[in-house]
Every structure is written in C-alpha cells, then in structure tokens.
Amino acid sequence: MAKTVASKELTEVSEAQIAVHWKEEEHYQPSEKFKAQANMRDTHILEKFGLAKFPDCFKEYADMLTWFEPYHTVLDTSDAPFWKWFVGGKINASYNCVDRHLAKYGNKAAFIFVPEPEAERDVTIKYQELYTSVNELAALLRGLGLKAGDRVTFHMPMVPELPITMLACARLGIIHSQVFGGFSGQACGSRIQDSGSRVLITMDSYWRNGTLVDHKTNADIAVRTAKDLGQDVDKVLVWQRYPGKYSAKTPMIPGRDFFMNDLLKEYKGQDVEPVPLPSEGQLFLMYSSGTTGKPKGAQHSIAGYLAYVTGTSRWILDIHPEDVYWCMADIGWITGHSYIVYGPLANAATSVLYEGVPTFPDAGRPWRIAERLGVNIFHTAPTAIRMLRKLGPQEPRKYKYRFKSMTTVGEPIEPEAWRWYYDEVGKREAVITDTWWLTETGGFLGTTVPAIHAMKPGSCGPGAPGIHPIIYDETGAEIPKGSGKAGNICIRNPWPGLMQTLWGDRDRYVKTYFAKYNKNPRSKDWRDWPFMCGDGAVQAADGYYRILGRIDDVINVAGHRLGTKEIESACLTVPEVAEAAVVPVQDEVKGRVPEVYIAVKPGVPPSQDVIDRVVKANEEVIGKIARPKHVYIVPDMPKTRSGKIMRRVLAAISNRRDVGDVTTLANPDVVEQIRAMVQGKDTITTQEALPEDIAKFGQVE
C-alpha cells in the first residue's frame, strides 16, 4: 500500500518542484542615516536596468572604468551563448585598480594586512606602495618571458603578496589561476594541468589556528601530480612569509624553485606600462568542482567582469573611498577575487586582509579587529556567522565597532542566524545584503540594493540591477511568484560578469548551463539562452527570491522534494542548536528520508530533550514528511579548511559507505568519532554503489 501511495505522489510532483514550507518573514527597513549616505539612492534603479533597457543599461558600469580605447558594441551575441561585452575597447585591470587612484589616493591605505598572531603588527600598504610592488613583480614576470595569454597558477594563503601577484599578472595580460590555499597539492596539480601552467607561485608558510603551516610541501605534490597528468612545471616561485627567512621544512629544489624575494632585487624600482588589452581578453581562471570529476575552469573576461564587480561593489556593498571594508572570505574563492581584490580596489577602497581563522585565539577576534581598525563594512559567509554565534553569541557586545553595512555570501542564511547577525553583530543599525551568486557568474545575482529595498531574513531579495531571474519547472513552464512552488532558478539574460566559457571545454559550458531550457541551439538571440544556475528557489509574492540550495542537495521523500536548507533552518529554531546538517538515507518505503546531524552551543550538554525538540521543530515547521529518521548530536561537523560542512562525508556515514579520503579536512579526527556513533565501533560499510542522487549529494558539479 505504501509503495502505491508513494508512486502516486511521485507522478503528481514535478521533478523540479521542491516542497516549500517556509513561513513568510517580516521586513526590516534600512535606516535613514544609511540611506542618506548611500552610493545608490535612485528608487527607479531596477526599472532603469529593466529588460527593455538591456543591454545598454550596462554602459553605466563600463563608465565606472578608465579605458585606453573606447568600445563600440555593448553586447555581441554572434557566438551565442559565448557572450562578448564592450567589444572593441582596450583596457587594463591593474591600471583601473591601482594607477588611476594615485593622484588622489596615493597616500591612502589599499590594504591593511592583519597577521593571525596578535603579537605581530598590522602591515599597511598604501596605493603608492601597491603600485611599486605590482610594477616590480610585473617586471620580474616579464623577465621570465611570461606574456599576455600565458597561464600562471598560484597556491597562496591570505597574504598581501597574493593580490600583488594577481595585479602584476593583470598588468601584463597573464591569465592567473589561484587555487585556494587550503586545497591539497593534488587539487592544485590537477588545476595546473588543466590550465596548462608552466609556472607555480606559492608561499613557504602561513599561520593557521596558531600553527605556522609548511605550505611549500604542497608545491612539490602539485608539480608531481601535474607531471603525472602530462603537464611540466618549469619554475616554482616561493614567497617568504618572513622575507629573508625560510619558514618551511620542505627543501627547495635547485634549478626549479626560487625565492621571490631574491629575484625581486633585480627589478627594484622598475616600472612596467600596463598593457592595453582587448575587452574580451581573459583576466583569470577560477576552478570550481566537487570532490570528484574534472575541475571546471570558469574563464572570466577583463572588461565585462571588471565592470560588473566595480558597479556592484559601489552600489550593493556601498563602498566609498573613505570606508574601511573587511571581507572575511578567502581570495582563493571567487568572492575574494571579486569583492576583496578587483571590485573594491577599482573603487579606491581600503580593505582589511586577515591571515587566519576568525575564531583564533577566540571568538572575539573579528570584533577586536573591527574596533581597532574602524571597520564599517563587514562581509562574510553564513558558515562563519553560525560559527561565531555558536562560540561567542554575546562577544560582539563587548566591542565598540560600528558597521553601516554587512553582507552574507556563499550559501543561504537561515532566518535564526540572520537575526543574530542583525541584532548582535549589526547592533540593529547595519543594513544586511544577503547575496546569492556563483563562481561562474562573477558577481551578485540576487540581492537587495541596500538603501532602497527592505531586508527579509532568509531571502536574498530581487535580482540585482540588470539581472532578471526566472524559475522554471522541469518542463520549462514558468513558476509564478507567490505560488508557493519552487523550481530551477535561471537568469533570462546575459550580464557582463558572467564567465566567457569553461576553459578548454565549450561543449561542457553549453551543456551544463544552457542546454536544459534552450529551445533553439542555433539561435543568436539572447532570449533563447536562459542561464541555469543549478539552484532550487521559490519567489514570494513580494518578488523576493529564497534560495533552497543546490538542486542536487534535495531529498525526495515519498515524492515530496524537500530542500535540505529548509530542514536545517527548522533545526536552528531550537535555541540550543548551533549548526545542523541534513543528509538523505535510503528507505525501503519512502525511498529517501532525512537524517540530521546537529552540534549544540558551548556549555549545552547533549540530551534526548534537544533531539526531541529538533524532531518536533521539523514536524511543526515543515510537516511530518520531514521527520528525521535519526538525529545525532555530534562534537563537531566535519569541515573543510574554509569552514564548509562536508555533507558528503555525513551522507556516506549514514548510508554505511566508505567516507573516502578525509585527510584534507580541518578536523579529520571527528569523522571517526561520528562514524562510531552512527555505525557502532566496528566498521560496517557496504561495497554496493550508492544511488546516483545520494552519490551526488553534497557535491557541487
């Protein structure tokens, strides 16, 4: 009988529709004080960037840049869907981020570097000093024979040498590919191979959680991995964390490895004219992949990308040259490229660059930094927000900083975490922009314009200016706003920040992002090429979008597609719960059922009472269909070095499968503790292959 019911329900629910049970949240208004000083105060801005004004509306972003030669075509669609923006122009990203600010802001800080050890002094880098460093490094790279179009891979931590190296490459038209410093040497090597880099730039060491990490060891693994895959690396250039002193135990290899500090002595004081590059030249590659499969190199252009991140930094982040802005993301991710380096610098920002983890040596560290440096714009991920809330819910009250605006990025933020961020971190004064976007999109897709739109916990807001989202069901029918139904969120139109293609794989680019809803593969009309983001979403009657997470991260319970983010959000309504992760488990009757892992706040003992209230919260907020099979209180979640919960590992444990290699996690020891809790002391794994939906779970393709 149960199977008959389940199959009947399956036929009634479109695959793209995800069950939505969110309660509508209240709106919060920006303060009059914020509105009065905002860069964007035009209440008609979304109309001015409406589809009727597309694509010429984006001239306004291009006008924020300095051009060597003007462009003649705003958008060229002749090779759809490989869009070309501001065609015919000549431009240089390094010039726009550094040189053009010297006359007015040469003596102003571009970056304030805060080392993780609190005893070490901040390092302030003024725009004039940044100019000198970028030029000397560009001269060095040119001296090595590197030129426009060559690819160079970086594997660097959060230190000033990273943006300096990016800007030196941009000055010459060298395409840079930064691999997140926390990634393994193997991950770096596979990206070297895919991009065809012959030079790796790295660092000997950096501070992480109070330990000086030997980072050079990863370079040797990366070079070996790349060689095994068929790509030789000629040179490894090594920055020193403490110039003049080698802080790694891994030996340098003569003839291949060189200290950057030694090489730079030959180029002291040299200037390099920024190369006027075509608008459609490539600025950088940013690799995105799950834990399996070939990495995808999102290829971003110079002019379109730079225009988009400059405009959104000015209007959405509300950066003024006199602000002190701190984005706590890592430059190794797209957020750091767009909203630590290129966007803020193009707006003559002063940015804080912090080397370490936000909770070292304690959860008060971010607020001490903010107070000491006068930070007034703060930008971080829900992962960090939940972690800081868990470890120090009242810490922000101890410090006298004042934020005018705060941003969240990287994943949907649950209303409970949003309210803590607003009440405690923002002290009910700062506006919050809850931004939604992807590596491939270059910049924000969904967000409020902070001085114009009300904030709504858990919702990113409408499309950003010039971005026109649409939600489709599986058949390609549009799901109307306010219907309470969810589906696949797409963007109707191209925009300048969108990647040009996937490096070396045009077919995969079309197939992954456009094929599903394209009606005519030969069309040169942009209207026929909606961009598929890969996220599930629902649009409320007020036009605001709520992102439900990756389409793959959906649990199909007896034909009801439940977004894991919604279940996790329900868990966080229990006050003792600090973090929640939901994974699918095979079930003979319902097909899939959710299992919940929770971490409680410090000082809260694990108890059956907390488990019971988590179960009850899911039944009340969503319904009995969302009742978890089990709720486990774990000592900590398995996390990557960037703080992301590895739901893939938890899904493997719940489904009695091998967890795979977990050595690169920040806390690999916790995996065995959780496994023993769920499976018992003896390892009980089955070799049977996982169903595809569970195998894909937690892996962003």
Side-chain angles (χ1 to χ4, degrees):
M1 176 65 190
K3 287 188 178 173
T4 310
V5 173
S7 61
K8 179 168 183 266
E9 287 175 333
L10 271 168
T11 60
E12 291 173 357
V13 180
S14 162
E15 263 302 291
Q17 288 181 13
I18 303 163
V20 178
H21 309 84
W22 303 106
K23 74 179 179 69
E24 276 298 288
E25 299 285 344
E26 68 273 39
H27 291 82
Y28 292 67
Q29 297 297 330
S31 70
E32 293 303 319
K33 181 180 176 185
F34 179 85
K35 289 197 275 190
Q37 62 79 60
N39 281 323
M40 174 43 65
R41 298 189 289 262
D42 183 352
T43 56
H44 300 292
I45 188 62
L46 293 189
E47 295 158 45
K48 290 182 175 177
F49 275 72
L51 282 176
K53 310 286 176 61
F54 179 85
D56 286 354
C57 54
F58 282 115
K59 285 180 179 177
E60 195 160 348
Y61 283 177
D63 288 348
M64 296 181 191
L65 304 178
T66 303
W67 295 80
F68 294 145
E69 292 179 24
Y71 59 90
H72 54 67
T73 303
V74 176
L75 173 63
D76 177 354
T77 66
S78 61
D79 187 21
F82 302 89
W83 318 116
K84 297 182 177 66
W85 285 91
F86 311 126
V87 179
K90 292 284 180 71
I91 196 164
N92 187 282
S94 182
Y95 180 90
N96 273 277
C97 290
V98 186
D99 305 43
R100 67 175 181 154
H101 302 317
L102 297 181
K104 192 170 182 182
Y105 299 114
N107 210 30
K108 185 178 92 78
F111 287 112
I112 305 169
F113 172 62
V114 180
E116 189 186 75
E118 273 190 286
E120 289 190 21
R121 297 175 62 175
D122 301 339
V123 178
T124 299
I125 301 169
K126 297 176 179 176
Y127 272 92
Q128 189 64 55
E129 294 167 329
L130 182 62
Y131 172 84
T132 300
S133 296
V134 167
N135 274 270
E136 289 174 352
L137 184 52
L140 186 162
L141 296 173
R142 188 174 60 185
L144 293 175
L146 291 163
K147 61 189 184 307
D150 290 343
R151 279 83 60 208
V152 171
T153 299
F154 311 156
H155 195 200
M156 293 186 65
M158 281 288 285
V159 288
E161 289 83 355
L162 177 49
I164 288 167
T165 311
M166 291 166 69
L167 292 162
C169 285
R171 199 166 193 82
L172 298 171
I174 297 165
I175 303 167
H176 61 75
S177 169
Q178 155 69 359
V179 178
F180 169 56
F183 275 175
S184 66
Q186 287 97 327
C188 181
S190 68
R191 287 152 175 77
I192 289 172
Q193 184 274 329
D194 190 74
S195 64
S197 299
R198 300 190 73 87
V199 174
L200 171 63
I201 302 180
T202 188
M203 195 157 211
D204 60 354
S205 61
Y206 63 95
W207 288 96
R208 186 90 190 171
N209 259 325
T211 300
L212 190 61
V213 177
D214 180 349
H215 189 55
K216 168 62 168 61
T217 186
N218 288 310
D220 293 358
I221 296 167
V223 171
R224 198 161 57 242
T225 301
K227 186 173 182 61
D228 289 346
L229 294 169
Q231 177 65 31
D232 287 329
V233 173
D234 301 330
K235 289 185 174 62
V236 177
L237 308 181
V238 183
W239 286 102
Q240 290 170 310
R241 174 62 177 79
Y242 297 98
K245 175 186 169 191
Y246 188 48
S247 302
K249 294 193 176 81
T250 307
M252 297 282 282
I253 295 178
R256 187 198 75 181
D257 301 350
F258 302 89
F259 287 125
M260 196 71 99
N261 308 81
D262 292 344
L263 297 177
L264 278 167
K265 290 171 186 168
E266 295 177 40
Y267 299 93
K268 194 163 181 60
Q270 289 198 22
D271 282 350
V272 172
E273 284 296 309
V275 177
L277 296 159
S279 302
E280 274 301 294
Q282 294 92 43
L283 182 57
F284 66 88
L285 303 179
M286 170 60 66
Y287 280 91
S288 166
S289 71
T291 52
T292 60
K294 186 169 180 269
K296 292 182 303 188
Q299 175 184 312
H300 282 283
S301 69
I302 302 172
Y305 169 82
L306 189 63
Y308 195 71
V309 298
T310 301
T312 48
S313 292
R314 188 172 300 180
W315 290 356
I316 308 302
L317 298 176
D318 197 53
I319 294 176
H320 302 66
E322 56 272 21
D323 290 321
V324 179
Y325 165 75
W326 183 13
C327 176
M328 236 170 42
D330 194 290
I331 294 173
W333 304 113
I334 189 68
T335 298
H337 278 49
S338 299
Y339 298 120
I340 297 179
V341 182
Y342 289 111
L345 288 179
N347 283 287
T350 293
S351 283
V352 175
L353 204 62
Y354 174 53
E355 177 180 32
V357 295
T359 52
F360 184 86
D362 56 68
R365 185 70 188 277
W367 323 127
R368 288 197 292 281
I369 293 171
E371 179 183 82
R372 179 164 55 80
L373 298 180
V375 173
N376 67 338
I377 305 177
F378 187 66
H379 188 165
T380 193
T383 299
I385 294 166
R386 289 191 297 268
M387 187 161 49
L388 291 162
R389 173 178 174 248
K390 171 184 173 182
L391 297 177
Q394 314 218 302
E395 280 295 310
R397 295 181 186 180
K398 300 176 185 174
Y399 303 96
K400 292 188 170 66
Y401 67 84
R402 279 283 177 271
F403 295 153
K404 70 168 185 177
S405 110
M406 309 190 306
T407 303
T408 78
V409 63
E411 60 181 319
I413 182 168
E414 305 85 355
E416 291 301 313
W418 190 100
R419 277 187 275 272
W420 179 81
Y421 195 42
Y422 182 78
D423 292 341
E424 297 295 338
V425 179
K427 305 179 181 182
R428 300 188 181 180
E429 295 173 359
V431 297
I432 293 177
T433 46
D434 173 359
T435 64
W436 163 69
W437 56 299
L438 317 166
T439 297
E440 296 90 339
T441 72
F444 304 140
L445 295 180
T447 175
T448 51
V449 180
I452 294 167
H453 300 122
M455 300 162 268
K456 186 177 176 185
S459 297
C460 64
I467 302 294
H468 299 277
I470 184 168
I471 300 176
Y472 289 118
D473 72 8
E474 202 67 11
T475 68
E478 182 176 350
I479 297 176
K481 68 180 181 181
S483 65
K485 292 179 180 174
N488 299 330
I489 188 165
C490 300
I491 310 300
R492 296 173 192 266
N493 59 297
W495 64 98
L498 179 62
M499 62 178 170
Q500 298 170 299
T501 185
L502 291 176
W503 177 260
D505 203 338
R506 283 171 61 101
D507 290 345
R508 190 179 184 189
Y509 171 77
V510 175
K511 183 181 173 188
T512 305
Y513 303 101
F514 297 97
K516 188 173 182 73
Y517 295 115
N518 170 251
K519 301 281 195 300
N520 178 7
R522 292 184 179 159
S523 174
K524 311 226 176 283
D525 187 333
W526 58 264
R527 295 167 189 81
D528 292 327
W529 294 95
F531 176 85
M532 183 163 156
C533 303
D535 282 320
V538 61
Q539 188 182 22
D542 61 11
Y544 280 31
Y545 294 93
R546 191 157 191 165
I547 306 302
L548 305 178
R550 302 301 293 174
I551 291 165
D552 285 344
D553 292 357
V554 167
I555 302 175
N556 199 331
V557 183
H560 295 270
R561 286 168 58 81
L562 301 175
T564 53
K565 187 51 68 176
E566 185 170 30
I567 301 173
E568 291 171 4
S569 197
C571 296
L572 288 180
T573 63
V574 177
E576 292 87 349
V577 175
E579 295 178 305
V582 177
V583 300
V585 180
Q586 289 175 274
D587 182 88
E588 282 185 20
V589 176
K590 297 180 179 177
R592 306 285 177 267
V593 288
E595 274 197 349
V596 169
Y597 292 82
I598 59 172
V600 291
K601 293 174 183 172
V604 175
S607 69
Q608 187 61 41
D609 176 60
V610 171
I611 290 173
D612 292 343
R613 283 189 287 125
V614 166
V615 172
K616 187 180 177 198
N618 274 286
E619 291 184 345
E620 288 180 350
V621 173
I622 302 173
K624 293 212 184 296
I625 191 74
R627 181 186 175 92
K629 184 173 185 177
H630 293 109
V631 176
Y632 299 105
I633 300 179
V634 296
D636 194 11
M637 300 288 185
K639 288 174 183 163
T640 63
R641 294 268 296 279
S642 61
K644 182 186 174 195
I645 296 172
M646 287 298 284
R647 290 166 179 82
R648 172 188 66 79
V649 171
L650 296 173
I653 291 172
S654 279
N655 288 280
R656 301 291 195 276
R657 296 311 196 276
D658 180 22
V659 297
D661 180 16
V662 296
T663 56
T664 57
L665 296 186
N667 53 353
D669 296 347
V670 83
V671 175
E672 177 53 26
Q673 294 176 50
I674 297 170
R675 191 207 60 72
M677 177 189 297
V678 175
Q679 300 178 356
K681 291 250 167 92
D682 298 325
T683 304
I684 309 169
T685 56
T686 171
Q687 300 307 311
E688 199 179 316
L690 276 171
E692 189 179 4
D693 62 316
I694 299 180
K696 277 186 173 180
F697 186 83
Q699 302 193 29
V700 178
E701 159 51 21

